[in-house]
Every structure is written in C-alpha cells, then in structure tokens.
Amino acid sequence: MIQRTTSAVPTLTMVALGAFVTTLDNTIVAAGAPSVARDLALDLPALQWVSIGYMLSFAGLLPVAGTLVDRWGQAATLRAGLLVFGVGAAAGGLATSAWLVISARVLQGAAAAFLVPALLSLLRTNLDTRRRAIGATVWTACLAVALALGPTLGGVLSEYLGWGWIFFVNLPFVAAMLVLRPKVATAGRDPTAGRPAVLSMLVVTAGMVLVTAAVVELGEGGVLVPAMLGAAGTACGLWFVFRERHARERLVPAELTGQRVFTGALTVQLLWGLGVSGVFFFTPLLHQESLGLGPVAAGLPLVVVAVAVVAATPLVPLAVPRFGPHRTVAAGLATVAVGLLAVAMVNHLPEVLPRIPGLVLIGAGSALTTPLTSYALEIVAERHAGTASGLLTASRELSSALGVALIGTVLAVVRSTRIGEGAASALAAGYTAGLLTAAALELLGAFLAFRLLRARPGESPSRGDKAGDPFLSSR
C-alpha cells in the first residue's frame, strides 16, 4: 500500500526515530564505558565486550533479517524488535554485573538487526517516489545526528544521572515507535519470500564471535586460549565456505562473491572500521584515565569527528565524477591515516586541543569513504541489491567489533610492558600504539581501494535488471 493520499509524517517520524536510536547505541556507550567499568569492576576485555556484543549480534543476524521481515510482516517484526530492544535497554541500565550488561547489549544488537530492514521497508511500501527520496535523506541525516550527539550525550548522562541512563535513554524512543507502529506498518507477510539461510548464518556468526574472542584474549598475554579460539573460528569459516558452495539457499549469492568491486568494497570497509572504530571506543577512556577529564569533557572531542564528517560530505558528489570512486575513497583513507598519525604525535601532551586537527582529518577522510557503499551497490544486479546492502552494513558492524578487539589488544599488550612508568603513562603509550596500528590499516585500505575499486576496461555495472531503488536497503 503506497501512502500517497495520507500524510507521510508518521512514516518519516518512525524512520527518523529508528535510525537515530539504533545508531545512537553504537556511539553513546563509548563515553560512558569508563564509568561502567569503574562501577562494575570490569577489566579491559569485559569492557570491550560491552561494545562488541551489540555489534556482533547486529552483524551476524542482519544478512537473514531482511528475508525474515518479509516472511513475518512489518507489524510483527517491528513489534517484536521494539519490545526486545526495550527489554535489552532496561536490562542494561539495571545490570549489576559484566555478564548482565553484555547480555543486554547482545539482545539490543539482535533486535536492531531486525529493526533496520523493517524500518527501511516502510520507505518502499508507504511512500511514493518523491517522499521516498525524502525518507532516505531523513534516514541519513538521523544517522549523522546520532553519530554527532552520541559521545556527548553518553558523557552527560554518565556524569549527571549515572551510566545506567545511557541505556534508559532508549526507552522513550521505543515507546514512541510502539505508538506509531499501528499507523505505519501496513505491509503483511509475503508468502513468496525465500527461506533464510539460518544454518549458514549461525555458522558464520559463531566464527565471528570466536575470532573476535581470540583477538580480545591476546591482550591478556596468553597464547593457548587465543590459539584454540582462533582455530575454532577458522574452522567455522571454512565450514561456512564449504556449505555456501553446496547449499541450495545461499547466504551470499555467487554473483556477489565473484564481483571484484563488491568484494573489494567489503574488504576496504573492513579495514576502515578496524582502524577507526577501536580508536573511537578507547578515546574517552584515555581522556578520563590519562588526562583526568570527566565523562562529558572526555566525549566532547569526538563530536569534532562527526562534525567534520558532516562538513566534508558535500565534497563527495564533486570528487567522485572528477576523480573516480577509487581515488576518492583512497584519498579519504589516506587522510584518515594522516589524522591518526597526527593524534599519535601529540598524544604525549596532557591536553585535548592539540588533538583537534587530527580528529578533524579523521572525520573529513571518513566522509570521503562514503562512495564505498553507493558504488558497490551500483555495480551489482538489482535483484541482489537488498542482500548486498545487508552485507555491507554487516561488514561495517563486524569491522567495528574487530576494531574494538584489535586496538584493545594492542593497547593492553603495550600497556602491560610500560606499567612500571605509571598507569596513566602506560595507558597513553598503549593508545599511541593503537593509533599507529590503525594508521597502518588505513594506509593498507587506501592501497586496496585504489586497486580494487577501479573499473577495468569493459566492466560496467549490471543495469539490465535495475528497476527499483537499490539504496533503500542500506543503513
């Protein structure tokens, strides 16, 4: 049912609230994490899992969530997703132990994996072409606002109301969306929807969890446990590849795995997230523990990154036609690397202001990487656009989880070797090592972007069956 004769306001409001709250949960925890660690006596690995739990469950379920939304219908999916998301938020705010708060985050991530495709499906079923474009803009704008406000809001709530409110703040959004749901969820179940590749999803999710756990455990100084976890994760990965080659219902269509530009975009996006997300998560921790700042002041510099992203984004449509997506993305990743190196060079100074130029470069460079998604979706056939966008979003969440794990491990290893210099100095040294590691990953991503995203002679996007809106399924 297309919402042509009635107001589009309820649908646009629902989409805006959903985009904001699911993104906010990725960013708000960073500023509040040190407060959570102090109150619940969490060590560094447990603190990492507070963030990783949300990202991995989101990434693991997202590839099959779109198909399940079609099978279950918008109304049922949104109702269940919102209720589970709300329960996770309430449980997280009331948690009194590490396993409770991590479990709450996993629950929220799982719910978000179903909410995102269900909300985006409202743009297709409820709005005409003109309003659909407005809806896509609203979605993107709310992502940017959540990115900008998350760290500061997390700091304000943690400092003045207690860290539990970084979870409780979700509840008003959930309540408002539950009220709106009956007015906007008009599409019923689709009896023709394909069967989701649930077993493949479970296998690849288990592999992601085990590999991430192995990286986190490396920071504890042992070898046997990380090796066992890594081997188990690798085995799951190999089983997944074998199953995909012989499965009737594949999680990843063969046309996508054979598309050089698409797989290149996934790889480059993974490297971007590996570098940026871990640094983003640990920056408030450094500002509080090493510089002695409160939660609000510790999270505030991260707003500079988000503002730089928003400010530089208008340059992207100008750069891509002139330089091509491969050069634009490569330049963006190189700029991010320069920004990370700039922060590393001044990290020994006990002040925030010298870090601002580097943070601006990180944000501006990240904005130039946005053609990764649009170009990758344009190069694939329309019939695979939904799956492709889901995989790109899942890759982004996976890269964030692995980034928190990897940079945390580097930080922990270096900190343990420098602990004799004092806790604050050792943490700063570990953070510097994390920045250098992240910069190296960004430079590798820039090289691969230039090589893999460049169209070869005779290679063109698959336009033969492009009849819809391939970007509406992307987060």
Side-chain angles (χ1 to χ4, degrees), residues 61-149:
L61 289 172
L62 194 58
V64 300
T67 302
L68 291 174
V69 169
D70 292 336
R71 290 174 67 90
W72 296 342
Q74 288 175 345
T77 303
L78 287 171
R79 181 176 59 248
L82 288 168
L83 289 174
V84 172
F85 194 87
V87 169
L94 297 171
T96 56
S97 65
W99 76 268
L100 281 174
V101 73
I102 293 170
S103 298
R105 292 287 288 164
V106 170
L107 202 61
Q108 283 189 290
F114 289 94
L115 287 176
V116 167
L119 290 165
L120 287 169
S121 72
L122 297 177
L123 301 182
R124 297 194 304 269
T125 60
N126 292 18
L127 306 177
D128 58 26
T129 302
R130 182 181 65 83
R131 289 171 171 174
R132 201 176 297 155
I134 295 173
T137 302
V138 168
W139 180 270
T140 303
C142 288
L143 296 184
V145 171
L147 178 67
L149 291 182

Side-chain angles (χ1 to χ4, degrees), residues 253-331:
E255 292 88 341
L256 293 183
T257 56
Q259 172 53 256
R260 179 181 59 86
V261 171
F262 181 76
T263 55
L266 289 177
T267 303
V268 172
Q269 185 168 258
L270 187 66
L271 290 169
W272 173 82
L274 275 172
V276 171
S277 298
V279 170
F280 194 90
F281 179 77
F282 286 105
T283 295
L285 177 66
L286 174 90
H287 288 172
Q288 290 190 47
E289 301 299 325
S290 184
L291 303 186
L293 302 179
V296 175
L300 195 58
L302 293 180
V303 177
V304 174
V305 179
V307 171
V309 170
V310 175
T313 296
L315 299 176
V316 176
L318 303 176
V320 171
R322 183 170 183 178
F323 304 109
H326 62 298
R327 291 190 182 93
T328 303
V329 173

Side-chain angles (χ1 to χ4, degrees), residues 216-245:
V216 172
E217 285 296 322
L218 278 173
E220 294 296 280
V223 176
L224 180 60
V225 172
M228 293 175 62
L229 291 171
T234 302
C236 287
L238 294 173
W239 182 16
F240 170 73
V241 171
F242 176 80
R243 176 173 174 77
E244 282 288 278
R245 288 182 175 178

Side-chain angles (χ1 to χ4, degrees), residues 362-391:
I362 293 170
S366 295
L368 294 177
T369 67
T370 54
L372 269 175
T373 299
S374 57
Y375 185 52
L377 287 175
E378 185 174 341
I379 208 75
V380 303
E382 170 62 20
R383 65 183 182 276
H384 296 312
T387 301
S389 59
L391 289 171

Side-chain angles (χ1 to χ4, degrees), residues 30-70:
S35 300
V36 178
R38 283 192 294 269
D39 283 3
L40 299 185
L42 305 185
D43 56 11
L44 187 61
L47 185 61
Q48 289 172 268
W49 281 105
V50 173
S51 179
I52 291 171
Y54 182 87
M55 298 168 181
L56 278 185
S57 55
F58 197 153
L61 289 172
L62 194 58
V64 300
T67 302
L68 291 174
V69 169
D70 292 336

